Amino acid sequence: MTNLDSRISFMKKAHSKKELEGLLNPLVKKWFFNKFKDFSLPQTYGVKEIHDRNNILISAPTGGTKTLTAFLSVINELVNLAMTKSLEDRVYAIYVSPLKALNNDIHKNLEVPLKEISALAKKEGIDLNIRIGTRTGDTTPYQRQKMLKNPPHILITTPESLALMLGSIKFRELMFGVNWCIIDEIHAIA
């Protein structure tokens, strides 16, 4: 066993539904259970770990709810920050995938829940204003400038574009204190 192997552990038991429900903001919980009957198996293992800021590898078949597992805690935390007027103009989560087409799908898949949760919040007189942005090699200079002025809270990008952003002093400043980094298709990156 190498040093790396000694640091890898496997969860033996999933978290309970009650435990996961207790983590969710009431708006996120209402949205979630209007959409889904229950937490998926990956969610019972992953949501609390991500909430607790633990590193985790989620492996499930296509359509196995990996994306929502990865983003449920992120969305929940951003909603909490927005509701307490603590949401800053900076990047909180970075989603990295080597596939530009997948990045566009993720952006669309995040827009829907955020719009629906925002609609629930507006009924209570709350404006969440949680932003998502995609930056790839196809992003225009105008869009990049716009991101600097009004940065996304969730940044969707490719490894190459992330490298360029980290080399940009202005954009790098927006990423200090990133809370989450989600790497999809990790086998393709490795």
Side-chain angles (χ1 to χ4, degrees):
M1 188 182 298
T2 66
N3 269 345
L4 178 62
D5 293 336
S6 67
R7 291 181 283 172
I8 296 173
S9 61
F10 295 88
M11 291 180 62
K12 300 197 182 344
K13 184 179 162 201
H15 297 283
S16 70
K17 179 179 180 177
K18 184 178 179 181
E19 190 174 13
L20 297 179
E21 283 182 6
L23 300 175
L24 296 181
N25 177 289
L27 290 174
V28 176
K29 186 194 293 189
K30 182 176 183 179
W31 169 81
F32 185 87
F33 287 108
N34 281 338
K35 292 292 220 182
F36 307 100
K37 286 170 58 174
D38 206 349
F39 295 105
S40 68
L41 186 60
Q43 290 163 356
T44 62
Y45 280 91
V47 170
K48 183 170 185 330
E49 296 304 310
I50 295 166
H51 172 82
D52 291 344
R53 308 299 200 274
N54 293 326
N55 294 322
I56 184 168
L57 174 66
I58 301 168
S59 179
T62 300
T65 70
K66 293 182 295 290
T67 302
L68 186 55
T69 299
F71 279 111
L72 189 58
S73 286
V74 174
I75 291 169
N76 188 66
E77 294 296 315
L78 293 175
V79 168
N80 284 338
L81 289 169
M83 289 181 72
T84 60
K85 306 224 184 294
S86 304
L87 192 61
E88 299 172 25
D89 283 333
R90 67 175 181 86
V91 177
Y92 284 85
I94 300 173
Y95 170 90
V96 183
S97 171
L99 309 172
K100 278 195 264 187
L102 184 56
N103 287 348
N104 293 330
D105 288 345
I106 293 298
H107 191 278
K108 289 174 191 167
N109 291 338
L110 280 173
E111 275 184 332
V112 172
L114 284 173
K115 281 182 182 175
E116 292 171 348
I117 294 167
S118 291
L120 291 172
K122 279 194 195 284
K123 288 179 183 176
E124 296 184 23
I126 301 165
D127 186 18
L128 296 179
N129 195 27
I130 297 170
R131 299 182 299 274
I132 310 164
T134 302
R135 175 137 176 212
T136 66
D138 297 336
T139 305
T140 66
Y142 170 76
Q143 291 168 320
R144 290 194 301 263
Q145 280 301 111
K146 193 174 166 187
M147 265 189 211
L148 283 172
K149 291 179 183 163
N150 204 13
H153 298 111
I154 300 173
L155 174 65
I156 301 164
T157 191
T158 60
E160 298 82 10
S161 290
L162 179 60
L164 291 172
M165 286 182 279
L166 290 172
S168 162
I169 293 170
K170 289 180 182 177
F171 207 93
R172 186 174 55 220
E173 289 174 2
L174 299 174
M175 294 191 285
F176 281 119
V178 165
N179 298 71
W180 302 275
C181 183
I182 300 166
I183 302 172
D184 206 343
E185 302 293 329
I186 196 164
H187 61 282
I189 293 173

